[in-house]
């Protein structure tokens, strides 16, 4: 009996130290910062040895955050709290006893460990990690020019441990390629989130500024771990209330909480604020009273929020007020705000998402038509924020021709992390593949090889040094109050991937997925390899069952969930008729091709040289015409839809074979989600195939089973029928 109790105590002790076992209940709250115990004894021992103590030089809230993260992470992973000492001023570091050193490069002894090239590269936010030997004792050095660089470097070291890598011979140089790496929250002040599918807004305006929830800090930690350095707190469909004193004080509390993590706060600014808040008669950007109103407002903002980042503006777009209301240009509007922000180092991110101004025109052309003539007219603290495609965050679009057409303007990318057009938080869609696809698109702006990544990184003003280049990228956040932050457990991967691509636009979706899986689930290659493959294919799978071959915007009207090719608004995107399907955007049609560099324009003008996955974006193709698949247009289209459904079934199968490899709760949740995704993929396939068959009047290819009965009543089928759960067997 005694012996059994003893054994139990030992087992419990091991459990409490290491929290062992893949079966530990998990709810996803800890994201990729779980710091699971290292079960490999050899590796754990090596880490224990290498990280027995930490020395930091100087202290600051940011260094303290780094230290806290390191102590917690190391303790959780290897079951030992490192000894921590700090050195202030110029006191020498004892290289004999300290094994992990966090130090700034202004210390000559630290800088001496690195080459001049290394020192030059990293700038204000980068870091160097190196294993150096002093008196034969290996030391790990994390060095940077700034405190935030040290925090980023600390997260990098923790990532190496979480992904079970050796720390024996580190030699890492990292620095962000883009200056602004921002999450755009479309959060309303009443707590709802526009296009948010993971609960309510994180910001509890009612309890701010008094209450700083732990969740805010965990949000900041997660962002800092991937280098995100800015957050726009509120919806681009803006409320002026966020600019009132009451709300500025609340925002200031968040800004203060985020500051140690290197995150600046931005707000959206409603163009009509001078009228709505200031009771002026106009919001005309050239009116002196309006100019003064914004100047005073900005001064007030900086009074409360000294590290305020600036404004994000959606103007003259989807009913939002803007300079167009007064016959002024976007440049007039943006520059007026930029002038108010400039004395404080603030910036304006001005969106290019406009499409209603020319009725009946091809929507894909409108952003370019409105902004191209303004190239070079924006002040130096203005960036244009353009979506990756010219329409609207579709599963696949041609890239936005504004990238490559604005050499004299700071261009920043807008991705959408929330899955507005990708099955919300129900479908497993890894967007790393999408980010990679667009960032690597060749714009030909300066000849072949001018990728969008290069355009984003480009220095617009000659003479600006690297640290002052105004470059950036934004992602519309998929974060809410759901316990796992993102709704779908795999939605977290998209937040993570966005950060990694923001840090390095030429990063690889593949290795990002691997890192995320290891940190979020397990290092077991039996899980990581097949699930990484599943993730990498998942975006294409969704394209196949939603909008294959360059189709777009077939989603149910307004809600954007489920199929709706029959809605009037969708018809303008697919142009299906008795002859064929697709939009002619060549010179015989809307001529959108002419907005691209000549090499691309001619490529896209010719069906034979248009990439297969964009043929219906650029061409109207006859139903019986043979396309590059070797089949007719009609048969190919149907096959893509059927293929998409089969692929989701295959994803389900792969997931099932992972049973036991990860915790039960997340396993079961993803199992349910994939089942639902399969159901909805069929909903998409059946709806679209039967709808388009009305036009093609062709039979389905022989290997495709007729869609389920629920759709045989088409065309009386109403788009607003409730979700077809009975599709289960069809
Ligand atoms: O995709 C559309 C969304 C709107 C959104 C708009 C935009 C914030 O359906 O909900 O509004 O884009 O990007 O401004």
């Amino acid at each position: 009996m005694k012996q059994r109790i003893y054994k139990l105590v030992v087992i419990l002790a091991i459990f409490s130290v290491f929290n062992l076992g893949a079966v530990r209940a998990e709810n996803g709250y800890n994201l990729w910062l779980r710091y699971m115990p290292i079960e490999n004894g050899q590796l754990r021992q090596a880490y224990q040895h290498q990280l027995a103590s930490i020395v930091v030089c100087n202290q600051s809230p940011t260094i303290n955050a780094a230290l806290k993260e390191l102590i917690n992470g190391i303790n959780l992973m290897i079951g030992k709290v490192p000894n921590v000492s700090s050195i202030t001023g110029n006191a020498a570091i004892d290289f004999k006893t300290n094994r992990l050193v966090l130090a700034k490069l202004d210390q000559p002894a630290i800088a001496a460990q690195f080459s001049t090239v290394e020192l030059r590269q990293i700038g204000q936010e980068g870091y160097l990690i190196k294993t150096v030997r002093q008196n034969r004792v290996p030391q790990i050095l994390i060095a940077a020019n700034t405190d935030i660089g040290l925090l980023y470097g600390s997260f990098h070291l923790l990532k190496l441990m979480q992904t079970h890598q050796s720390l024996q011979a580190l030699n890492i140089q990292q620095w962000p390629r883009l200056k602004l790496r921002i999450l755009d929250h479309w959060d309303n002040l009443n707590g709802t989130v526009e296009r948010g599918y993971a609960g309510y807004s994180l910001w509890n305006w009612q309890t701010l500024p008094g209450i700083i929830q732990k969740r805010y800090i965990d949000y900041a930690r997660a962002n800092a771990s991937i280098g995100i350095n800015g957050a726009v707190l509120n919806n681009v469909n803006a409320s002026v209330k966020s600019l009132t004193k009451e709300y500025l004080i609340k925002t200031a509390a968040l800004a203060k909480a985020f500051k140690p993590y290197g995150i600046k706060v931005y707000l959206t600014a409603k163009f009509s604020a001078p009228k709505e808040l200031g009771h002026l008669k106009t919001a005309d950007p050239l009116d002196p009273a309006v100019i003064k109103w914004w100047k005073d407002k900005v001064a007030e903002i900086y009074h409360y929020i000294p590290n305020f980042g600036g404004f994000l503006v959606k103007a003259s777009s989807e009913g939002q007020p803007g300079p167009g209301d007064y016959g002024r240009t976007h440049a007039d509007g943006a520059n007026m705000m930029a002038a108010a922000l400039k004395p404080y180092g603030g910036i304006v991110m001005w969106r290019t998402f406009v499409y209603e101004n020319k009725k009946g025109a091809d929507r894909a052309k409108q952003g370019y038509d409105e902004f191209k003539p303004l190239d070079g007219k924006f002040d130096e603290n203005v960036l244009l924020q353009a979506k990756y495609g010219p329409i609207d965050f579709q599963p696949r679009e041609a890239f936005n021709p504004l990238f490559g057409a604005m050499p004299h303007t700071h261009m920043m990318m807008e991705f959408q992390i929330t899955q507005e057009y990708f099955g919300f938080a129900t479908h497993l869609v890894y967007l790393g593949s999408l980010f990679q696809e667009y960032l690597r698109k060749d714009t030909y702006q300066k000849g072949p090889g001018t990728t969008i990544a290069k355009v984003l990184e480009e220095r617009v003003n000659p003479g600006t040094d690297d640290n002052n280049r105004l470059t950036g990228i934004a992602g519309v956040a998929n974060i809410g109050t759901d316990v796992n932050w993102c709704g779908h457990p795999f939605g977290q991967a998209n937040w993570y991937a966005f950060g990694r691509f923001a840090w390095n636009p030429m990063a690889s979706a593949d290795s990002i997925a691997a890192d995320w899986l290891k940190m979020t689930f397990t290092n077991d290659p039996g899980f990581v390899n097949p699930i990484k493959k599943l993730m990498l294919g998942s975006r294409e799978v969704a394209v196949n069952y939603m909008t294959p071959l360059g189709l777009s915007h077939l989603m149910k009207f307004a809600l954007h969930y489920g199929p709706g090719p029959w809605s009037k608004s969708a018809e303008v995107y697919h142009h299906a008729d008795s002859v064929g399907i697709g939009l002619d955007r060549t010179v015989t049609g809307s001529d959108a091709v002419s907005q691209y560099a000549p090499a691309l324009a001619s490529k896209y003008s010719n069906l034979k040289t248009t990439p297969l996955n964009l043929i219906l974006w650029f061409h109207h193709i006859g139903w019986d015409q043979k396309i590059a698949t070797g089949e007719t247009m009609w048969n190919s289209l149907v096959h893509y839809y059927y293929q998409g459904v089969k692929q989701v079934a295959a994803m389900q199968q792969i997931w099932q074979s992972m049973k036991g490899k990860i915790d039960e709760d997340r396993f079961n949740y993803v199992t349910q989600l994939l089942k639902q995704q399969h159901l909805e993929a069929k909903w998409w396939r059946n709806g679209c195939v039967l709808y388009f068959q009305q036009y093609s009047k062709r039979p389905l290819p022989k290997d495709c089973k007729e869609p389920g009965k629920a759709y045989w009543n088409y065309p009386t089928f109403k788009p607003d029928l409730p979700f077809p759960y009975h599709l289960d067997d069809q």
Side-chain angles (χ1 to χ4, degrees):
M1 184 67 179
K2 241 187 185 171
Q3 219 182 1
R4 269 177 56 192
I5 291 176
Y6 173 74
K7 261 192 191 160
L8 196 71
V9 169
V10 171
I11 290 170
L12 283 178
I14 294 173
F15 246 84
S16 64
V17 173
F18 291 115
N19 237 335
L20 279 182
V23 286
R24 184 174 85 152
E26 300 229 23
N27 60 16
Y29 180 83
N30 290 331
L31 297 161
W32 48 89
L33 301 175
R34 289 156 66 244
Y35 305 131
M36 287 298 280
I38 311 274
E39 287 169 29
N40 173 332
Q42 231 181 350
L43 191 63
R44 190 169 67 239
Q45 259 184 8
Y47 286 168
Q48 281 174 348
H49 194 63
Q50 287 155 331
L51 302 166
S53 55
I54 305 177
V55 62
V56 287
C57 305
N58 300 320
Q59 282 193 334
S60 72
T62 300
I63 303 253
N64 289 344
L67 211 49
K68 204 169 156 194
E69 200 71 33
L70 284 168
I71 294 170
N72 181 45
I74 291 171
N75 181 30
L76 284 174
M77 284 189 276
I78 64 178
K80 229 175 166 187
V81 180
N83 293 322
V84 178
S85 53
S86 71
I87 292 179
T88 39
N90 285 333
I93 296 165
D94 177 358
F95 272 112
K96 265 189 227 129
T97 52
N98 295 303
R99 297 188 179 266
L100 172 61
V101 180
L102 253 73
K104 298 254 273 287
L105 287 159
D106 53 8
Q107 300 205 23
I110 300 296
Q113 305 295 332
F114 303 98
S115 73
T116 40
V117 178
E118 286 173 321
L119 294 174
R120 206 176 325 119
Q121 271 171 345
I122 60 167
Q124 292 306 299
E125 292 179 292
Y127 54 86
L128 302 163
I129 307 180
K130 200 176 217 171
T131 318
V132 294
R133 275 167 210 283
Q134 296 274 338
N135 310 324
R136 295 229 199 100
V137 186
Q139 319 280 338
I140 299 170
L141 264 184
I142 302 181
N145 288 317
T146 57
D147 291 354
I148 194 66
L150 293 179
L151 178 65
Y152 289 159
S154 303
F155 275 115
H156 192 129
L157 187 83
L158 288 165
K159 180 177 78 183
L160 295 176
M161 295 176 71
Q162 286 173 283
T163 54
H164 296 184
Q165 296 182 53
S166 160
L167 308 181
Q168 284 292 5
L170 300 175
N171 191 7
I172 293 165
Q173 301 87 26
Q174 279 287 331
W175 68 96
R177 304 302 195 273
L178 299 174
K179 187 169 171 167
L180 308 173
R181 305 177 297 280
I182 294 185
L183 283 184
D184 289 351
H185 291 267
W186 285 357
D187 292 16
N188 300 313
L189 300 182
N190 67 5
T192 57
V193 180
E194 178 152 350
R195 311 301 180 186
Y197 316 107
Y200 288 90
S201 170
L202 285 186
W203 328 128
N204 188 331
W205 296 108
Q206 199 253 318
T207 58
L208 282 166
I211 310 291
I212 296 300
Q213 297 179 3
K214 179 170 180 291
R215 196 158 185 142
Y216 302 154
I217 306 299
D218 290 334
Y219 162 84
R221 285 174 53 231
N223 277 339
S225 77
I226 46 178
I228 287 173
N229 66 359
V232 181
L233 297 186
N234 56 333
N235 193 349
V236 283
N237 292 331
S239 154
V240 285
K241 219 162 132 187
S242 67
L243 298 177
T244 59
K245 179 179 167 188
E246 185 192 353
Y247 275 83
L248 291 177
I249 290 170
K250 291 170 187 282
T251 298
L254 284 175
K256 197 171 159 207
F258 296 160
K259 196 172 175 221
Y261 297 90
I263 296 165
K264 274 192 181 182
V265 157
Y266 300 76
L267 290 173
T268 54
K270 193 169 180 186
F271 206 76
S272 54
K275 282 165 76 182
E276 288 185 56
L277 283 184
H279 307 295
L280 300 185
K281 285 212 173 58
T282 175
D284 181 349
L286 302 190
D287 184 289
V290 171
I291 294 170
K292 180 171 183 317
W293 189 87
W294 281 109
K295 219 175 142 201
D296 293 347
K297 182 49 75 182
V298 167
E300 186 191 356
I301 295 176
Y302 278 92
H303 169 74
Y304 292 115
I305 314 167
N307 63 333
F308 181 65
F311 292 140
L312 169 64
V313 188
K314 172 176 178 177
S316 303
S317 156
E318 291 189 331
Q320 292 295 312
D325 303 346
Y326 308 94
R328 312 296 184 197
T329 68
H330 289 283
D332 294 330
N335 293 345
M336 178 273 294
M337 287 186 172
L341 288 156
K342 196 170 176 206
Y344 309 91
I347 55 132
V348 172
M349 296 172 279
W350 192 269
R351 298 176 88 229
T352 67
F353 179 66
V354 294
Y355 61 90
E356 288 146 328
N357 304 333
K358 269 197 230 153
K359 290 276 172 257
D362 178 0
R363 176 169 167 183
K365 289 179 69 178
Q366 298 194 29
Y368 178 103
D369 281 348
E370 223 166 300
F371 281 91
K372 169 72 185 162
L374 299 174
D375 185 28
K377 300 221 157 59
F378 292 93
D379 282 350
E380 59 185 11
N381 58 334
V382 177
L383 296 105
L384 292 188
Q385 183 172 301
K387 295 184 181 183
Y388 57 86
I391 290 191
D392 191 10
F393 299 139
Q394 292 302 296
R396 176 169 281 112
E397 302 185 31
F399 74 83
N400 190 335
L402 277 172
F403 295 110
M406 306 289 283
H408 307 295
T409 304
H410 302 296
M411 292 297 296
M412 75 186 282
M413 170 61 85
E414 182 173 350
F415 281 128
Q416 192 180 42
I417 311 171
T418 190
Q419 292 173 223
E420 175 179 356
Y421 294 100
F422 267 120
F424 295 4
T426 305
H427 295 201
L428 192 164
V429 181
Y430 172 54
L431 294 175
S433 323
L434 181 147
F435 302 154
Q436 177 172 300
E437 176 174 314
Y438 286 94
L439 290 165
R440 294 185 184 190
K441 286 273 181 206
D442 197 345
T443 68
Y444 287 75
Q445 178 175 294
K446 290 185 179 167
T450 323
T451 57
I452 291 187
K454 277 202 182 140
V455 171
L456 296 179
E457 292 172 30
E458 186 82 0
R459 163 198 335 236
V460 170
N461 302 324
T464 25
D465 69 75
D466 274 11
N467 288 324
N468 290 321
R469 276 182 316 170
L470 196 52
T471 55
I473 187 165
V476 180
N478 63 346
I479 306 165
T481 50
D482 269 14
V483 70
N484 72 5
W485 302 83
C486 302
H488 198 302
F490 279 76
Q492 297 179 359
N494 296 335
W495 176 9
Y496 180 81
F498 170 74
R500 293 280 303 268
F501 276 106
W503 185 268
N504 179 8
M506 288 309 281
S508 121
D510 184 304
S511 62
I512 292 172
D515 283 346
W516 178 78
L517 282 167
K518 289 176 190 171
M519 295 193 284
T520 307
F521 286 102
T522 168
N523 275 271
D524 176 0
F527 177 83
V528 173
N529 295 337
I531 300 304
K532 184 182 81 175
K533 208 166 150 212
L534 177 154
M535 285 171 75
L536 289 169
S538 62
R539 183 272 188 133
E540 209 56 47
V541 170
V543 169
N544 290 346
Y545 63 73
M546 289 180 178
T547 52
L549 294 165
L551 286 172
S552 72
H553 232 310
L554 304 184
M555 293 76 195
K556 198 168 161 173
F557 179 64
L559 179 69
H560 299 162
Y561 196 75
W566 39 80
S567 78
K568 277 269 161 274
S569 64
E571 284 170 11
V572 301
Y573 297 107
H574 61 67
H575 280 199
D577 56 21
S578 60
V579 179
I581 182 169
L583 240 83
D584 182 1
R585 290 191 163 107
T586 70
V587 72
T588 54
S590 77
D591 197 27
V593 288
S594 67
Q595 296 183 335
Y596 294 91
L600 287 174
S602 64
K603 185 174 163 186
Y604 296 149
S605 292
N606 181 346
L607 176 58
K608 289 219 163 65
T609 50
T610 304
L612 181 63
N613 60 21
L614 285 173
I615 53 172
L616 297 177
W617 181 272
F618 286 114
H619 302 277
H620 189 71
I621 302 175
W623 295 115
D624 293 328
Q625 191 167 333
K626 277 250 170 81
I627 61 166
T629 56
E631 293 185 296
T632 64
M633 183 62 240
W634 169 246
N635 282 4
S636 306
L637 183 70
V638 176
H639 274 139
Y640 272 97
Y641 277 111
Y642 275 75
Q643 171 77 353
V645 174
K646 275 191 215 143
Q647 287 170 316
V648 182
M651 286 163 72
Q652 283 182 287
Q653 244 176 27
I654 293 166
W655 187 255
Q656 283 317 300
S657 68
M658 296 296 117
K659 196 172 169 62
K661 291 193 191 295
I662 60 160
D663 58 287
E664 221 179 307
D665 289 350
R666 289 187 298 173
F667 175 81
N668 288 340
Y669 189 27
V670 174
T671 299
Q672 287 190 60
L673 287 164
L674 283 171
K675 185 170 175 225
Q676 187 69 20
Q677 185 172 353
H678 187 231
L679 216 62
E680 296 184 8
K682 284 193 273 185
W683 182 29
W684 266 98
R685 177 198 68 189
N686 295 0
C688 291
V689 164
L690 288 172
Y691 170 77
F692 289 128
Q693 199 177 27
Q694 301 290 305
Y695 294 98
S696 81
K697 304 214 183 330
R698 295 339 184 236
L700 298 191
K702 289 212 171 51
D703 57 330
C704 298
K705 215 175 110 204
E706 291 291 345
K709 285 193 202 77
Y711 289 92
W712 281 117
N713 59 357
Y714 194 85
T716 51
F717 173 74
K718 293 270 190 319
D720 53 359
L721 271 186
F723 173 76
Y725 285 100
H726 52 281
L727 271 185
D728 223 356
D729 56 345
Q730 316 200 9

